[in-house]
Amino acid sequence: MKKEGPKNPKKAIIYYYIIALVVLLLLNALVFPRMMQRQVSEVTYNQFIADLDAGKVSAVEENESEGTITYMMKDENGRERLYRTALINDPGRVDRLLQASGPDGAAVQFGGVIPTQASPLMNLLVTVVFPVLLFVLVGQLLMRFMMKKMGGGNAMTFGKSNAKVYVEAQTGKTFADVAGQDEAKEALAEIVDFLHNPSKYNSIGATLPKGALLVGPPGTGKTLLAKAVAGEAHVPFFSISGSEFVEMFVGMGAARVRDLFKQAADKAPCIVFIDEIDTIGKSRDGAAGMGGNDEREQTLNQLLTEMDGFDGSKGVIILAATNRPETLDKALLRPGRFDRRIPVELPDLEGRAAILKVHAKKVMMDENVDFMAIARATSGASGAELANMINEAALLAVKQNRRIVRQEDLMEAVETVIAGYQRKNKVLSQREKRIVAYHEIGHALVAARQSDSAPVTKITIVPRTSGALGYTLQVPEEETNLLSREEAFNKIATFTGGRAAEELIFGSYTSGASNDIEQATRLARSMVTRLGMSAEFDMMALETVSGPYLSGDAALACSEGTAEKIDREVLAIIRSAHEKAAGILAENKEKLHELANFLMERETITGEEFMEILHRE
Ligand code: ADP
Ligand code: MG
Ligand code: ZN
């Protein structure tokens, strides 16, 4: 999908201009001054007197500070030239000069300044204007040539966007092409419905979000989903990728955005899709880089202006996709812009099997292929990776002169593709999956076996965008504002439950608990320093919080000795919570195994499923 030019024309052009500038400066410093200076020939004083007497000299200038005499006369070819000689102390010279006559019998111009430089205007033209014009011209030709070679649009038509117009027949994608991603599809279906019958929404006074932002890791089908929306809605689909803006001339980005939206307004109802929006929508308060930053900012500002200028009832929906939502400028996420976020996460077991099936339709597949088995072996793989696996399997079959893809081709393809991605640490190995499953069940079991802790609502070992390998979601039954000492302590025990499970089952532990450690420590620390929940310090405030509404930093307000005691107290709390968790898990080891196996099998389980197994005899 991506345009992969071997060269980035914008970069090449920048190099070209830098080199041109250096050449220009060198010319100006070394070559032009000599070129522009009139040739002056050195002659002897005798020669000067002889020329003067011969009546050939037309003008003479004496320069006492330099100790030179410069004079002008015609050479053999009749061209006026300059000659220079030493200013010799010769008392008779002045009289001689006054009496001498020049070529046409006129008096010799004496003492007047003889211009040794060409006229300043000419100077400027030759040394600056011409070379710059020449370089720019060559640069433009070069750019045009490169753009042509890359098969891109014509860079010379300033301000005319070459946003491609995709109509339904061209995207050819529908929701049926997107497997899994049911939540995302549901959210987008609403948008499709709006484009079909806007009156239904307008008559009730509802306004639909102008823009929706598809957020998720690479290869999860964001671009595919956007195309499917266009296919479902049967409306024109304008798409542009953020990275295309970056490769353009200064001022082009903003012009393109303007043009894109103008086209869209003419064709409404329609969909405008901005892929990889992070490339233009990066937060503006970041470190300002080189000139390119300005360009991006202009483009972003234009985009914001256009979005604000749109009247939602017109039926222009703006979709955008990004894998790095955290870098986006806040202005983009304000209400009336991309106010709706549609998460597009990595597929779970069912999702993976479904994606495999969708792509398997395109190849000749053995009827007995077990997609579930493949899906099980590929937790953490994205849709794009799964599509790639099917293709690899087909290639393997071809290599062996077979006309049908078999299970073993698929298994082998999984290995090749996973090996390719495992370096990036994305796909969990079977062993890692086991560890993560026990870890998460550890949290959940400790939580469930303690009174005063929120019920578990979801456990998953599908890796998240955030980088977490799994998580256990607990939602309290009711909103509470007060935290009792027991609840706080139980929470810490729950945090330690993951590590405790790893220790119990594997006799060792992994780095997977780093976030738990952080959270447990933070809570234990505030129990001691701010909440008055430790035996040692009673209700003594040991920390002051500055700017609590800005989640300001807490500063210790105590002596050094006390700080040490605090650390010991915090450690004691965490240690006893950890022991409690270990005790709970040891008592429930059977259930731990049973639940972890179930989780490994399903990858995502609900709170009810968890409770059902827990309470099963
Ligand atoms: P993203 O834009 O999120 O990086 P793409 O939409 O470009 O990902 O997905 C790349 C390819 O991966 C798609 O063209 C499709 O073949 C495949 N793919 C990804 N997700 C899915 C899915 N949910 N169902 C079917 N195919 C998918
Ligand atoms: Mg994409
Ligand atoms: Zn954990």
Side-chain angles (χ1 to χ4, degrees):
M1 280 281 98
K2 257 183 227 155
K3 203 164 56 178
E4 298 249 25
K7 278 187 221 146
N8 180 341
K10 188 165 182 191
K11 243 190 204 151
I13 273 310
I14 286 176
Y15 285 134
Y16 166 78
Y17 276 116
I18 290 173
I19 291 171
L21 191 69
V22 170
V23 169
L24 200 61
L25 288 176
L26 281 176
L27 279 177
N28 260 315
L30 302 173
V31 180
F32 288 150
R34 272 180 218 192
M35 218 170 83
M36 296 314 294
Q37 200 124 42
R38 291 218 204 157
Q39 281 288 316
V40 180
S41 318
E42 301 285 337
V43 294
T44 60
Y45 191 71
N46 288 352
Q47 181 68 46
F48 165 56
I49 296 298
D51 286 340
L52 189 65
D53 287 349
K56 294 201 276 190
V57 175
S58 57
V60 177
E61 182 199 52
E62 291 190 359
N63 188 330
E64 271 183 52
S65 61
E66 281 180 18
T68 58
I69 297 173
T70 309
Y71 66 98
M72 194 191 278
M73 86 182 175
K74 289 204 168 98
D75 63 5
E76 306 85 71
N77 305 324
R79 271 179 42 207
E80 292 234 298
R81 294 196 51 186
L82 294 179
Y83 299 85
R84 183 180 297 143
T85 188
L87 181 64
I88 284 173
N89 189 9
D90 173 3
R93 185 175 60 240
V94 175
D95 286 342
R96 205 185 205 124
L97 275 167
L98 288 174
Q99 273 149 36
S101 57
D104 307 321
V108 174
Q109 300 274 331
F110 174 46
V113 176
I114 297 174
T116 54
Q117 296 279 330
S119 88
L121 188 69
M122 193 63 185
N123 201 343
L124 199 72
L125 274 177
V126 172
T127 59
V128 181
V129 181
F130 283 142
V132 167
L133 278 179
L134 190 71
F135 279 129
V136 169
L137 199 73
V138 172
Q140 302 268 304
L141 285 175
L142 210 66
M143 182 83 180
R144 185 190 276 193
F145 174 70
M146 273 192 294
M147 295 291 280
K148 257 209 194 115
K149 234 174 95 178
M150 287 195 39
N154 184 353
M156 302 312 278
T157 51
F158 277 99
K160 200 70 187 149
S161 125
N162 30 17
K164 296 152 231 141
V165 184
Y166 290 102
V167 283
E168 173 233 342
Q170 276 165 304
T171 76
K173 303 278 183 209
T174 61
F175 282 153
D177 293 302
V178 188
Q181 304 297 3
D182 293 333
E183 283 148 54
K185 277 198 260 184
E186 204 172 293
L188 289 167
E190 196 186 348
I191 289 174
V192 172
D193 190 44
F194 174 67
L195 288 171
H196 275 313
N197 12 297
S199 53
K200 186 171 110 190
Y201 293 85
N202 288 335
S203 66
I204 213 170
T207 46
L208 244 89
K210 257 188 231 175
L213 187 63
L214 295 160
V215 179
T220 45
K222 298 182 293 298
T223 308
L224 184 65
L225 271 165
K227 285 184 180 164
V229 170
E232 293 279 334
H234 305 279
V235 295
F237 183 64
F238 296 86
S239 104
I240 191 159
S241 169
S243 56
E244 282 174 49
F245 285 112
V246 183
E247 296 176 2
M248 279 182 292
F249 280 141
V250 179
M252 280 287 283
R256 263 205 178 192
V257 170
R258 208 177 310 126
D259 198 58
L260 179 70
F261 278 80
K262 209 164 137 251
Q263 276 191 47
D266 291 342
K267 288 263 163 64
C270 66
I271 292 168
V272 173
F273 177 51
I274 305 170
D275 210 352
E276 295 163 44
I277 194 170
D278 39 296
T279 39
I280 43 169
K282 255 184 241 146
S283 178
R284 278 171 294 187
D285 44 45
M290 301 241 299
N293 218 31
D294 231 27
E295 165 67 358
R296 200 172 48 72
E297 204 163 297
Q298 267 185 26
T299 310
L300 175 58
N301 281 334
Q302 188 65 38
L303 179 64
L304 295 174
T305 315
E306 295 291 346
M307 285 192 79
D308 289 343
F310 255 95
D311 170 7
S313 62
K314 266 193 202 143
V316 178
I317 299 272
I318 303 152
L319 292 180
T322 179
N323 15 359
R324 307 167 62 210
E326 69 286 348
T327 64
L328 286 185
D329 198 287
K330 299 271 177 305
L332 270 174
L333 306 173
R334 244 172 247 150
R337 290 171 185 160
F338 292 107
D339 41 11
R340 188 170 283 201
R341 256 181 195 232
I342 303 179
V344 187
E345 292 286 355
L346 288 171
D348 60 5
L349 188 66
E350 302 274 328
R352 290 198 301 274
I355 293 172
L356 286 168
K357 277 178 201 156
V358 164
H359 287 276
K361 280 193 200 128
K362 296 174 202 155
V363 299
M364 299 293 286
M365 210 32 98
D366 185 6
E367 277 165 32
N368 306 323
V369 164
D370 182 0
F371 289 111
M372 256 340 225
I374 311 291
R376 237 174 253 125
T378 48
S379 78
S382 71
E385 285 158 12
L386 293 166
N388 192 4
M389 282 172 200
I390 297 280
N391 192 47
E392 284 287 326
L395 291 177
L396 283 170
V398 171
K399 226 194 234 166
Q400 297 172 9
N401 283 322
R402 268 187 281 111
R403 320 189 97 224
I404 278 188
V405 181
R406 295 206 207 119
Q407 183 85 9
E408 62 260 33
D409 299 324
L410 274 171
M411 285 318 267
E412 202 176 328
V414 168
E415 267 163 50
T416 13
V417 174
I418 289 185
Y421 292 107
Q422 223 156 30
R423 269 179 278 123
K424 286 189 249 152
N425 216 352
K426 274 174 69 188
V427 176
L428 290 185
S429 72
Q430 214 50 23
R431 199 183 76 86
E432 284 172 318
K433 210 169 138 182
R434 224 168 103 79
I435 295 174
V436 178
Y438 276 98
H439 179 106
E440 294 306 329
I441 294 293
H443 287 305
L445 254 183
V446 172
R449 283 293 185 228
Q450 294 177 123
S451 51
D452 296 327
S453 71
V456 173
T457 49
K458 182 179 170 184
I459 310 171
T460 175
I461 53 171
V462 177
R464 299 276 112 184
T465 325
S466 64
L469 297 178
Y471 72 74
T472 301
L473 187 67
Q474 282 177 275
V475 177
E477 270 161 323
E478 48 194 323
E479 193 89 4
T480 52
N481 295 307
L482 285 173
L483 186 71
S484 73
R485 187 182 185 284
E486 289 65 38
E487 281 166 342
F489 185 75
N490 287 353
K491 259 189 164 175
I492 297 175
T494 303
F495 285 136
T496 63
R499 166 69 62 92
E502 290 182 42
E503 290 165 334
L504 180 67
I505 304 299
F506 304 101
S508 162
Y509 43 81
T510 65
S511 60
S514 60
N515 184 44
D516 302 334
I517 291 170
E518 212 173 283
Q519 295 206 54
T521 311
R522 201 179 311 138
L523 182 53
R525 217 179 162 74
S526 50
M527 279 176 77
V528 177
T529 60
R530 303 221 314 265
L531 309 177
M533 289 181 178
S534 71
E536 177 96 4
F537 294 109
D538 198 1
M539 283 185 59
M540 180 174 172
L542 298 164
E543 243 176 29
T544 53
V545 180
S546 54
Y549 300 110
L550 304 168
S551 67
D553 295 323
L556 270 188
C558 60
S559 69
E560 241 175 73
T562 311
E564 255 185 71
K565 266 193 216 150
I566 291 173
D567 288 340
R568 250 181 280 135
E569 193 81 350
V570 170
L571 180 61
I573 291 176
I574 295 174
R575 192 166 266 158
S576 92
H578 192 161
E579 272 162 23
K580 182 181 179 192
I584 291 173
L585 292 176
E587 265 171 45
N588 295 274
K589 204 167 169 182
E590 290 307 302
K591 287 289 174 198
L592 179 59
H593 282 305
E594 198 180 341
L595 283 160
N597 284 328
F598 184 65
L599 179 60
M600 273 222 292
E601 173 81 22
R602 302 283 288 280
E603 294 188 3
T604 302
I605 63 176
T606 62
E608 288 92 60
E609 287 169 323
F610 173 81
M611 283 303 173
E612 203 267 314
I613 294 180
L614 187 61
H615 294 132
R616 201 192 286 163
E617 282 314 313

